Amino acid sequence: MTTEQSPLIYGCMGLGGTWGPGALAGRPDPAELVAQAHHAIDAALAAGITTFDHADIYKDGRAEEVFGTVLAERPELRETISIQSKVGIILGDPQRYDSSPAHVSGGVVRILERLGIPQLDTLLIHRPDPLTSWNELAETLGKLREDGLVKRFGVSNMSAAQMSAFERAFGEAPVAAQIQLSLQHRNLLESSVLFNASDAPVESGFVEYCRAKNVEIQAWSPLAGGIYDPAKSGEAVAEVLATRELVGDIAKSLDCSAEAVVLAFLLKLPWEVRPVVGTTNPARIAACADAAAVAERMSREDWYRLWTAARGHSVP
């Protein structure tokens, strides 16, 4: 069992079963979902993971409800883990973002009810809402803290400029910024080398802002849906096939799992990235456990080989 705290975060979206509306009690398999959650949470804890990530939209709230059921059965877990959730997206036609006071405040109350806890450790605003001003949002978050419902606040899918606007309105920087980042989704990484090498616009200053303000960078979908698993078969574009093969070769040379190699690609960055691992398969969770150690052992050459393979061509 891993004794040190892992940089990994466990993403709880899958705990709610398949997508679709409805509460846990209305599902045909509520007991099965709860049992699956127990196994996944135990695997995460065994890997040293102590931060658990939710969002109010995950499986129409069922992921939080399942997690809350686990907490009710094992209340001692609450003393050793950190729970974060996100609010601000409304699924539907049209899908929309809503950071208005009513939606954020009401959303937090419903999140806490589903989880069965009195306070969230961290709340992230899931997406920027162009119809809500930063000052209005800051006032809402301040009231949530004043009422004791949330300890800390962060953002998700926001740029450096938007985080600066958040900070000016709220009086403090977000504690965390969650963004899509993986060997496949390399936008943030590519911007570090393409600033003067491409005509395409790139994000500027995200990493620098986070490092300067001590904002934790969290990477969602860090395994890219398992696209680089060497065990996968079937057709794929050339760069994916080449990267799969390379991941397998590096895994053999470092005597580790393919999952650990893919995560190590992010953990080797000097950004202190925290990947959010979302599989419900205990074996895959365990396969991720040594990613930080693998990152330390991975050579700079292998890291660049992975980047080059995923890009399909060399860096400029």
Side-chain angles (χ1 to χ4, degrees):
M1 177 173 176
T2 302
T3 55
E4 295 185 2
Q5 181 175 335
S6 171
L8 304 179
I9 294 172
Y10 183 71
C12 299
M13 182 173 69
L15 300 184
T18 56
W19 285 96
L24 178 63
R27 297 281 299 189
D29 55 349
E32 183 178 330
L33 289 177
V34 172
Q36 179 189 59
H38 275 288
H39 294 313
I41 292 168
D42 283 340
L45 294 171
I49 298 172
T50 57
T51 302
F52 292 81
D53 174 76
H54 291 270
D56 61 345
I57 61 169
Y58 288 167
K59 310 302 173 67
D60 199 39
R62 284 192 306 279
E64 290 173 334
E65 195 177 354
V66 168
F67 198 89
T69 302
V70 172
L71 288 179
E73 296 176 359
R74 299 162 63 184
E76 70 280 2
L77 287 179
R78 187 67 186 100
E79 302 302 316
T80 59
I81 64 174
S82 177
I83 302 175
Q84 70 179 31
S85 193
K86 299 180 286 293
V87 68
I89 297 179
I90 299 178
L91 301 178
D93 186 14
Q95 180 166 308
R96 55 202 186 275
Y97 309 142
D98 192 341
S99 294
S100 66
H103 184 74
V104 172
S105 297
V108 168
V109 169
R110 290 186 289 273
I111 287 169
L112 295 175
E113 288 175 349
R114 287 190 291 267
L115 290 170
I117 59 176
Q119 184 183 57
L120 268 180
D121 294 302
T122 309
L123 175 71
L124 307 184
I125 301 303
H126 211 157
R127 292 272 183 181
D129 171 21
L131 297 181
T132 301
S133 72
W134 295 108
N135 288 337
E136 188 178 21
L137 176 60
E139 185 176 344
T140 303
L141 302 187
K143 185 66 165 56
L144 287 169
R145 175 180 283 169
E146 182 181 323
D147 291 344
L149 300 182
V150 182
K151 290 182 184 177
R152 298 179 295 271
F153 301 93
V155 298
S156 178
N157 304 299
M158 293 194 190
S159 67
Q162 289 167 327
M163 287 191 287
S164 293
F166 177 103
E167 181 184 3
R168 286 192 297 271
F170 192 51
E172 59 189 68
V175 298
Q178 198 171 110
I179 190 169
Q180 186 175 10
L181 181 64
S182 67
L183 188 54
Q184 179 190 38
H185 193 91
R186 304 175 307 278
N187 296 17
L188 190 61
L189 176 60
E190 299 284 328
S191 71
S192 68
V193 296
L194 297 182
F195 173 73
N196 197 37
S198 173
D199 293 331
V202 296
E203 158 64 21
S204 176
F206 179 93
V207 173
E208 290 74 16
Y209 176 89
C210 290
R211 300 298 287 156
K213 300 291 184 176
N214 199 30
V215 179
E216 180 178 281
I217 299 175
Q218 300 179 358
W220 61 269
S221 194
L223 291 171
I227 191 175
Y228 298 120
D229 183 351
K232 275 189 176 291
S233 59
E235 295 184 5
V237 295
E239 54 264 34
V240 170
L241 293 174
T243 307
R244 281 180 190 169
E245 183 176 358
L246 180 57
V247 166
D249 290 344
I250 294 175
K252 288 179 182 177
S253 69
L254 296 180
D255 190 24
C256 66
S257 68
E259 290 89 346
V261 171
V262 175
L263 293 175
F265 179 78
L266 300 182
L267 293 172
K268 196 163 185 69
L269 291 164
W271 303 348
E272 298 184 7
V273 176
R274 299 194 69 190
V276 182
V277 176
T279 177
T280 59
N281 184 330
R284 289 201 71 201
I285 297 170
C288 298
D290 294 333
V294 172
E296 292 181 1
R297 292 189 288 126
M298 182 183 288
S299 69
R300 291 175 64 93
E301 180 182 0
D302 278 345
W303 189 89
Y304 271 93
R305 288 170 66 205
L306 283 168
W307 191 10
T308 300
R311 299 182 90 236
H313 52 86
S314 177
V315 295

